[in-house]
Amino acid sequence: MTQPTEQSQGAAAGQEPQRAGGPGERSPRRAARQLIAASVGNAVEWYDWFAYSFLATYIADEIFPKGTGNSLVPLLSTFAVFAVGFFMRPVGGLLLGAVADRSGRRAALTLTILLMGGSSLLVAVTPTYALAGVLGPAVLVVARLVQGLSVGGEFAASTTFLVESAGPGRRGLFSSFQYVSTTAGQLVASGVAAVFVRTLDDGQMHQWGWRAPFVVGALLSLVGFWVRRGAQETRSEKHTAGPRPRLFDALRSHPRESALIVGITAGGTIAYYIWTSYLPTYAQVNAGFDKGDALVVGTISLVFFMLLQPLAGMLSDRYGRKPLLLGFAFGFAVLCVPLLHAISDSFVSLLLVQCAGMVLLSGYTAIAAAVNAEVFPARVRAAGIGFPYSLAVALFGGTAPYVGTLFEELGLPDAFPWYVAALCLLSALVYLRLPERAKEELER
């Protein structure tokens, strides 16, 4: 592995430079530190992101009250809740990915977690509409803008950092912790929200309870910041010494690779959002499934999904990326329609369908970071991944619940599974032409 370059950056920041190289460079202890630095921060990022989703009902009641005569309020409500976060993710992927390429992966990682902590605190102190009028929704929009910016930059920086931290033959394993930590953040957010909802009465939740999980998120961000400050830089000396890449260098110099990231991501992101977030709602709308039972099934499935990630990552290190990618994509293209049609009002049916989809989905999620990192050269890797990946997520993943609901409203619920299958088939065609790079050395 290429030696870290902390000396130059540590000296510039007035800190004691960290030692690079040496026999401990690939030690288990060093690897664990790098994994923890990436994973803890990523979990905190996604805790904050999902906490907003779980508490959206309370936020809407307090910040966007019904029955107001001000037309700006429902407009801002719609914009904030459904669009702002995903709209900003490609921007974050581009801007903060460029920071990672120009100033180092660690610098970008510390910046993203500070942005997320600040935005979480901003949500916590957002004034209600009753207190401040339209200022409340405006503050919330700003908070969601910063959250989206941070999440978009987080994937770009942490993907690059994780994969570059891996030793030979372990990139798939390290890559898998991207979704291990993302799922952990989602589960913690769900758990924290559930504790407050069950502990406080409805009046307390509306008055102040919905704010408390965001204060927790802000505090957790400080912990993540502290952990990441102790991580080692993965960008090599040659990229530190050479001319720094400009903002759009990745898009200008590597348009084919940018398009490839979109193709790699399209099927994976819609399958991910359907199976991890939207499936309980889909079961309620299309099969009359009980809401409480659907959430229980979703939680069990997420734990199962999290445990699958390292196993799939190790399989890809041994047998290659393409077998897992093709298994995911063709599996979903063929089985998505029958799986979704198999959902009934039975607890067991939804659990089996969700877990079966999680097994297939792991063929993509566990190695997405490694596959994306192997597409771009080190000099523009973070920005090269960040923008097209986040754009694909916004276009296909972020719209998945709305497309599913739209098909239902149009009286075409059976069309939605075919839409998902078609996108997975599109990604399968991309995977067929993707070079196998699992055994190649990664440029650093």
Coordinates of all heavy atoms in Angstrom, one line a residue, residues 87-101 112 148-157 247 250 380-391:
F87 N -31.9 16.9 -4.2 CA -31.4 17.9 -5.2 C -30.0 18.3 -4.9 O -29.1 18.5 -5.8 CB -32.3 19.1 -5.2 CG -31.8 20.3 -6.0 CD1 -31.8 20.3 -7.4 CD2 -31.2 21.4 -5.4 CE1 -31.3 21.3 -8.1 CE2 -30.7 22.4 -6.1 CZ -30.7 22.4 -7.5
M88 N -29.7 18.4 -3.6 CA -28.3 18.9 -3.2 C -27.3 17.8 -3.2 O -26.1 18.1 -3.1 CB -28.4 19.6 -1.8 CG -29.0 20.9 -1.8 SD -28.2 22.1 -2.9 CE -26.6 22.3 -2.1
R89 N -27.7 16.5 -3.2 CA -26.7 15.5 -3.1 C -25.7 15.5 -4.3 O -24.5 15.3 -4.1 CB -27.4 14.1 -3.0 CG -27.9 13.9 -1.6 CD -28.7 12.7 -1.4 NE -27.9 11.5 -1.5 CZ -28.3 10.3 -1.2 NH1 -29.6 10.1 -0.8 NH2 -27.5 9.2 -1.3
P90 N -26.1 15.6 -5.6 CA -25.1 15.7 -6.6 C -24.2 16.9 -6.5 O -23.0 16.8 -6.8 CB -26.0 15.8 -7.9 CG -27.3 15.3 -7.5 CD -27.5 15.6 -6.1
V91 N -24.7 18.0 -6.0 CA -23.9 19.2 -5.7 C -22.8 18.9 -4.7 O -21.6 19.2 -4.8 CB -24.7 20.4 -5.3 CG1 -23.8 21.6 -5.1 CG2 -25.8 20.7 -6.4
G92 N -23.3 18.2 -3.6 CA -22.3 17.8 -2.6 C -21.3 16.8 -3.0 O -20.1 16.9 -2.7
G93 N -21.7 15.9 -3.9 CA -20.8 14.9 -4.4 C -19.7 15.6 -5.3 O -18.5 15.2 -5.2
L94 N -20.1 16.6 -6.0 CA -19.1 17.3 -6.9 C -18.2 18.2 -6.0 O -17.0 18.2 -6.1 CB -19.9 18.2 -7.9 CG -19.0 19.0 -8.8 CD1 -18.2 18.1 -9.7 CD2 -19.9 19.9 -9.7
L95 N -18.8 19.1 -5.2 CA -18.0 20.1 -4.4 C -17.1 19.4 -3.4 O -15.9 19.7 -3.3 CB -18.9 21.1 -3.7 CG -19.8 22.0 -4.7 CD1 -20.6 22.9 -3.8 CD2 -18.8 22.8 -5.6
L96 N -17.7 18.5 -2.6 CA -16.9 17.9 -1.5 C -16.0 16.8 -2.0 O -15.0 16.5 -1.4 CB -17.9 17.4 -0.4 CG -18.6 18.5 0.3 CD1 -19.6 17.9 1.3 CD2 -17.7 19.5 1.0
G97 N -16.4 16.2 -3.1 CA -15.5 15.3 -3.8 C -14.3 16.0 -4.3 O -13.2 15.5 -4.2
A98 N -14.5 17.2 -4.8 CA -13.3 18.0 -5.2 C -12.4 18.4 -4.1 O -11.2 18.4 -4.2 CB -13.8 19.3 -5.9
V99 N -13.1 18.6 -2.9 CA -12.2 18.9 -1.7 C -11.4 17.6 -1.4 O -10.2 17.8 -1.0 CB -13.2 19.2 -0.5 CG1 -12.4 19.3 0.8 CG2 -13.8 20.6 -0.7
A100 N -12.0 16.5 -1.5 CA -11.3 15.2 -1.2 C -10.1 15.0 -2.1 O -9.0 14.5 -1.8 CB -12.2 14.0 -1.2
D101 N -10.3 15.4 -3.4 CA -9.2 15.2 -4.4 C -8.2 16.3 -4.3 O -7.0 16.0 -4.6 CB -9.8 15.3 -5.8 CG -10.7 14.0 -6.2 OD1 -10.4 12.9 -5.6 OD2 -11.6 14.1 -7.0
T112 N -17.5 17.0 6.0 CA -18.9 16.5 5.8 C -19.6 16.2 7.1 O -20.8 16.6 7.3 CB -18.9 15.2 5.0 OG1 -18.1 14.2 5.7 CG2 -18.4 15.4 3.6
G148 N -28.3 17.6 2.5 CA -28.1 17.0 1.2 C -26.7 17.2 0.7 O -26.1 16.2 0.2
L149 N -26.2 18.3 0.9 CA -24.8 18.6 0.5 C -23.8 17.7 1.2 O -22.9 17.1 0.6 CB -24.5 20.1 0.8 CG -23.1 20.6 0.3 CD1 -23.2 21.0 -1.2 CD2 -22.7 21.8 1.1
S150 N -24.1 17.5 2.5 CA -23.2 16.7 3.3 C -23.3 15.2 2.9 O -22.2 14.5 2.8 CB -23.6 16.8 4.8 OG -22.8 16.0 5.6
V151 N -24.5 14.7 2.8 CA -24.6 13.3 2.4 C -24.0 13.0 1.0 O -23.4 11.9 0.8 CB -26.1 12.9 2.4 CG1 -26.4 11.5 1.8 CG2 -26.6 12.9 3.9
G152 N -24.2 13.9 0.1 CA -23.6 13.7 -1.2 C -22.1 13.7 -1.2 O -21.4 12.8 -1.8
G153 N -21.5 14.6 -0.4 CA -20.1 14.6 -0.2 C -19.6 13.4 0.6 O -18.5 12.9 0.4
E154 N -20.4 12.9 1.5 CA -20.0 11.8 2.4 C -19.7 10.5 1.6 O -18.7 9.8 1.8 CB -21.0 11.5 3.4 CG -20.8 10.3 4.3 CD -19.6 10.4 5.2 OE1 -19.2 11.5 5.5 OE2 -19.1 9.3 5.7
F155 N -20.6 10.2 0.6 CA -20.4 9.0 -0.2 C -19.1 9.1 -1.0 O -18.3 8.2 -1.0 CB -21.6 8.7 -1.1 CG -21.4 7.4 -1.8 CD1 -21.9 6.2 -1.2 CD2 -20.8 7.3 -3.1 CE1 -21.7 5.0 -1.9 CE2 -20.7 6.1 -3.7 CZ -21.1 5.0 -3.1
A156 N -18.9 10.3 -1.6 CA -17.7 10.4 -2.4 C -16.4 10.3 -1.6 O -15.5 9.5 -2.0 CB -17.7 11.8 -3.1
A157 N -16.4 10.9 -0.4 CA -15.2 10.9 0.4 C -15.0 9.6 1.1 O -13.9 9.0 1.1 CB -15.2 12.1 1.4
L247 N -12.5 21.7 -10.5 CA -13.8 21.3 -10.1 C -14.4 20.2 -11.1 O -14.9 19.2 -10.7 CB -14.7 22.4 -9.9 CG -16.1 22.1 -9.3 CD1 -16.0 21.5 -8.0 CD2 -17.0 23.4 -9.3
A250 N -12.9 15.8 -13.6 CA -13.4 14.4 -13.7 C -14.4 14.3 -14.8 O -14.3 13.3 -15.6 CB -14.0 13.9 -12.4
V380 N -8.7 12.1 -9.5 CA -10.1 12.7 -9.5 C -11.1 11.7 -9.0 O -12.3 11.8 -9.4 CB -10.4 13.2 -11.0 CG1 -9.6 14.3 -11.4 CG2 -10.3 12.0 -12.0
R381 N -10.7 10.8 -8.2 CA -11.5 9.6 -7.9 C -12.8 10.1 -7.1 O -13.9 9.7 -7.4 CB -10.8 8.6 -7.1 CG -11.6 7.4 -6.6 CD -10.7 6.3 -6.0 NE -9.9 5.7 -7.1 CZ -8.6 5.4 -6.9 NH1 -8.0 5.6 -5.8 NH2 -7.9 4.8 -7.9
A382 N -12.6 10.9 -6.1 CA -13.7 11.3 -5.2 C -14.8 12.1 -5.9 O -16.0 11.8 -5.9 CB -13.2 12.1 -4.0
A383 N -14.4 13.2 -6.7 CA -15.3 14.0 -7.4 C -15.9 13.2 -8.6 O -17.1 13.3 -8.9 CB -14.6 15.2 -7.9
G384 N -15.0 12.3 -9.2 CA -15.5 11.5 -10.3 C -16.6 10.5 -9.9 O -17.6 10.3 -10.6
I385 N -16.5 10.0 -8.7 CA -17.6 9.1 -8.1 C -18.8 10.0 -7.7 O -19.9 9.7 -7.9 CB -17.1 8.3 -7.0 CG1 -16.0 7.3 -7.4 CG2 -18.2 7.5 -6.3 CD1 -15.3 6.6 -6.3
G386 N -18.5 11.0 -6.9 CA -19.5 11.7 -6.2 C -20.6 12.3 -7.0 O -21.8 12.1 -6.6
F387 N -20.3 13.0 -8.1 CA -21.4 13.7 -8.8 C -22.3 12.7 -9.6 O -23.5 12.7 -9.4 CB -20.8 14.7 -9.8 CG -21.8 15.4 -10.6 CD1 -22.7 16.3 -10.0 CD2 -22.0 15.1 -12.0 CE1 -23.6 17.0 -10.8 CE2 -22.9 15.7 -12.7 CZ -23.8 16.7 -12.1
P388 N -21.7 11.8 -10.4 CA -22.6 10.9 -11.2 C -23.4 9.9 -10.3 O -24.5 9.6 -10.6 CB -21.7 10.2 -12.2 CG -20.3 10.3 -11.6 CD -20.3 11.6 -10.9
Y389 N -22.7 9.5 -9.2 CA -23.4 8.6 -8.3 C -24.6 9.3 -7.6 O -25.7 8.7 -7.7 CB -22.5 8.1 -7.2 CG -23.2 7.3 -6.1 CD1 -23.4 6.0 -6.2 CD2 -23.6 8.0 -4.9 CE1 -24.1 5.3 -5.2 CE2 -24.2 7.3 -3.9 CZ -24.5 6.0 -4.1 OH -25.2 5.3 -3.1
S390 N -24.4 10.5 -7.1 CA -25.5 11.2 -6.4 C -26.6 11.6 -7.4 O -27.7 11.7 -7.0 CB -24.9 12.4 -5.7 OG -24.0 12.0 -4.7
L391 N -26.2 11.9 -8.6 CA -27.2 12.2 -9.7 C -28.1 11.0 -9.9 O -29.3 11.2 -10.0 CB -26.5 12.7 -10.9 CG -27.4 13.1 -12.1 CD1 -28.2 14.3 -11.7 CD2 -26.5 13.4 -13.3

